[in-house]
Amino acid sequence: MMTKQDMTAREVALTALDRIRRQGAYSNLQLNQLLSKHHLNDSDRRLATRIVYGTLQHQLTLEYWLQPFVKGKRLDSWVETLLLTALYQYHYLERVPDWAVTDETIEIAKHWGNPGIRKFVTGVLHAVLRRGFPDFDQVQDPEERLAVQYSIPRWLVHELGAQYGRAQAAQILKAVNDPARLVVRVNTAVTDLATVKAGLHAAGIEYQESRVVPNALVITKGEILDSPLFATGQITVQDESAMLAVDSMAVQPGDRVLDACAAPGGKTVQIAERLDPTAGGRVDALDIHQHKARLIQKNARRMQVDDRVVAHTLDARRVDEEFADESFDKILVDAPCSGIGLLRRKPEIRYTKKLADSQNLHQIQGSILNAVAPKVKKGGIITYSTCTILQQENEQTVQEFLAAHSDFRLLTTKTSRNLKDDRALATLTILPSDYGSDGFFISSLQRIL
């Protein structure tokens, strides 16, 4: 595959996507690296970004549509990726004319390949425009049809159907292909909601108030990361569902809190905002990697709460090495998980995760809970949360912990906005189809002995 010194938006997208699909590179890191290297204007940066995330998000659908036009031919990976990006643009980018997509895709094939590749790509694109896309109804198996339609691997379609029922699973599958929203949380340690609203208004940034959690704003227009509000730590980017874990903890100013799986520190600083160091309030934040522990402390400095945050390079399963029993009023275990609740924000993970990953993570989650359990005071609460919606990492992990720890009981998880208070379960699961936020799970485990 040839490369060019100065790439167009579509070439940047193609380069990023081919590395992601071939090498398993992280989409955000790969795209950011290329955007910083090739100086595109704002509209081209947005186009490259949309093509990368959109093609990843709809990859199985696009492959289904492409298959009849390539008739099982073995394609170079970059050629297949190029064709998938063209199909994505034809179908999903209504403001981009088909002729523009066709012309530039053929031009890329010409420059990056040979005359044979250019001719092949030209023929495929013209055939697609002439014949249109294959219908999903041609797929007879219901689970396979959903997998193709929503670009979700069949194992996950099956799991969601088994756990939530086919109707709710279909709503979840549809929701994870909606655009991810940009949400900011107001840092109440240094400012308030009204002041932030005024600052956003002055900067021409448009927003809506969150329905999910207080002191959060959904940004609808404008570049928030360039604003002084972000630079000075008055706001931070965090999904509404992720805010709910700390929202449910009812942290008090003098609490000693352990954030057992903390990096990059979003929930650590959210906890810290509620603490008063003069009253003894402090949060100890753990991560197994030193550079991530440094990132937690850096985040705390930006948010102006580093006087009540102590970051440790420590595996949460080895807390005995650092902390005495009954050291903490509250513990947050925002556990390593499959991340299935984040599919709209991290589209490539839908293709890399397997059911076995979820089962292995369940074991790790249990071992972390077992390790930290003695560290919470009697009457204190362990908040166990994940950013997945698979029950083997959520309800199953909680129930196994309770079965092994008669000194704990499960409380009903409460939030400031009383979300889903009519539910039957004590735990709280936020589905991507509930509020337009990420999928998330929260449980509250109180030590009673």
Side-chain angles (χ1 to χ4, degrees):
M1 181 174 68
M2 294 173 60
T3 58
K4 293 172 60 180
Q5 192 62 37
D6 296 310
M7 292 186 179
T8 65
R10 289 179 173 88
E11 288 176 308
V12 166
L14 173 60
T15 304
L17 280 165
D18 192 50
R19 290 175 184 172
I20 294 161
R21 296 181 73 232
R22 280 191 303 112
Q23 303 169 11
Y26 289 113
S27 58
N28 59 332
L29 298 180
Q30 195 60 237
L31 180 60
N32 290 341
Q33 182 185 63
L34 287 165
L35 288 176
S36 65
K37 181 179 178 181
H38 300 280
H39 304 293
L40 304 177
N41 61 38
D42 286 346
S43 62
D44 280 345
R45 287 173 68 92
R46 287 194 294 271
L47 176 60
T49 301
R50 286 199 67 182
I51 292 172
V52 168
Y53 286 110
T55 302
L56 285 173
Q57 192 168 53
H58 300 284
Q59 180 173 305
L60 298 183
T61 307
L62 297 169
E63 288 173 350
Y64 170 74
W65 283 338
L66 178 62
Q67 196 277 328
F69 298 99
V70 297
K71 294 184 172 61
K73 289 182 179 170
R74 289 179 59 85
L75 306 178
D76 288 346
S77 68
W78 74 267
V79 176
E80 181 183 46
T81 303
L82 177 64
L83 289 169
L84 295 178
T85 64
L87 267 59
Y88 168 74
Q89 293 170 80
Y90 284 154
H91 188 80
Y92 294 102
L93 298 188
E94 295 177 356
R95 294 185 179 181
V96 180
D98 289 349
W99 64 263
V101 176
T102 303
D103 284 357
E104 185 152 356
T105 303
I106 292 171
E107 190 68 15
I108 292 171
K110 174 183 173 183
H111 281 226
W112 289 30
N114 55 46
I117 289 175
R118 179 197 58 77
K119 183 177 179 182
F120 173 75
V121 167
T122 302
V124 170
L125 297 183
H126 289 165
V128 169
L129 292 173
R130 187 171 62 251
R131 288 160 48 186
F133 297 108
D135 197 281
F136 299 124
D137 290 341
Q138 296 176 24
V139 183
Q140 298 300 313
D141 183 274
E143 285 187 352
E144 185 65 24
R145 190 184 312 123
L146 288 171
V148 168
Q149 183 175 355
Y150 295 111
S151 195
I152 300 291
R154 182 164 176 169
W155 76 264
L156 184 51
V157 173
H158 176 79
E159 283 297 308
L160 292 175
Q163 295 182 17
Y164 293 100
R166 185 169 291 179
Q168 191 164 48
Q171 292 177 5
I172 295 168
L173 295 172
K174 183 176 184 297
V176 297
N177 285 324
D178 292 337
R181 302 191 302 194
L182 177 63
V183 184
V184 297
R185 179 173 54 76
V186 175
N187 181 2
T188 55
V190 298
T191 188
D192 56 37
L193 185 61
T195 303
V196 168
K197 283 182 175 181
L200 293 175
H201 182 73
I205 295 170
E206 299 178 10
Y207 61 86
Q208 298 170 348
E209 286 205 40
S210 169
R211 298 184 300 132
V212 177
V213 68
N215 295 311
L217 300 170
V218 181
I219 305 302
T220 55
K221 185 178 181 182
E223 295 295 330
I224 197 68
L225 296 181
D226 297 331
S227 79
L229 290 169
F230 183 83
T232 57
Q234 295 179 68
I235 58 173
T236 191
V237 174
Q238 189 176 14
D239 186 77
E240 297 155 285
S241 291
M243 297 181 207
L244 286 172
V246 176
D247 179 68
S248 74
M249 291 174 68
V251 174
Q252 300 303 305
D255 280 346
R256 179 86 184 273
V257 184
L258 176 67
D259 188 352
C261 310
K267 296 179 185 68
T268 303
V269 296
Q270 189 182 0
I271 292 167
E273 288 166 24
R274 300 169 182 231
L275 299 174
D276 180 356
T278 64
R282 165 175 155 173
V283 53
D284 290 272
L286 313 184
D287 192 86
I288 194 169
H289 300 291
Q290 188 175 49
H291 70 281
K292 290 188 176 180
R294 286 197 293 265
L295 185 61
I296 295 167
Q297 208 70 53
K298 181 181 178 182
N299 201 5
R301 283 194 296 273
R302 183 179 71 83
M303 300 297 286
Q304 303 181 53
V305 292
D306 53 315
D307 60 342
R308 64 209 79 168
V309 174
V310 180
H312 306 259
T313 304
L314 183 68
D315 187 327
R317 291 168 291 188
R318 299 173 67 178
V319 287
D320 267 338
E321 297 177 7
E322 192 82 23
F323 304 106
D325 288 354
E326 300 189 44
S327 293
F328 298 98
D329 300 287
K330 295 181 175 72
I331 295 176
L332 173 62
V333 177
D334 187 45
C337 73
S338 59
I340 299 301
L342 308 179
L343 289 185
R344 66 159 67 92
R345 200 171 297 280
K346 298 181 177 180
E348 71 269 31
I349 68 173
R350 65 183 76 191
Y351 313 115
T352 58
K353 299 295 182 182
K354 303 288 186 261
L355 182 57
D357 297 330
S358 188
Q359 293 161 340
N360 292 338
L361 284 160
H362 164 73
Q363 302 299 325
I364 295 170
Q365 292 154 359
S367 64
I368 293 172
L369 281 173
N370 291 336
V372 304
K375 306 307 172 187
V376 70
K377 297 175 182 176
K378 294 179 179 67
I381 293 174
I382 298 176
T383 298
Y384 171 76
S385 64
T386 73
C387 56
T388 190
I389 55 175
L390 294 178
Q391 291 169 7
Q392 49 265 51
E393 299 179 61
N394 295 340
E395 290 290 343
Q396 188 179 331
T397 298
V398 168
Q399 291 305 319
E400 284 192 12
F401 174 80
L402 290 170
H405 294 82
S406 58
D407 51 340
F408 280 82
R409 66 175 178 175
L410 183 63
L411 301 181
T412 298
T413 297
K414 298 284 189 181
T415 64
S416 296
R417 294 277 169 87
N418 301 313
L419 298 181
K420 303 177 82 166
D421 267 9
D422 58 348
R423 67 188 188 273
L425 294 173
T427 58
L428 175 62
T429 299
I430 303 296
L431 299 173
S433 50
D434 287 336
Y435 306 106
S437 59
D438 291 339
F440 214 82
F441 171 84
I442 310 167
S443 59
S444 306
L445 302 157
Q446 184 180 44
R447 186 173 180 181
I448 55 177
L449 296 173

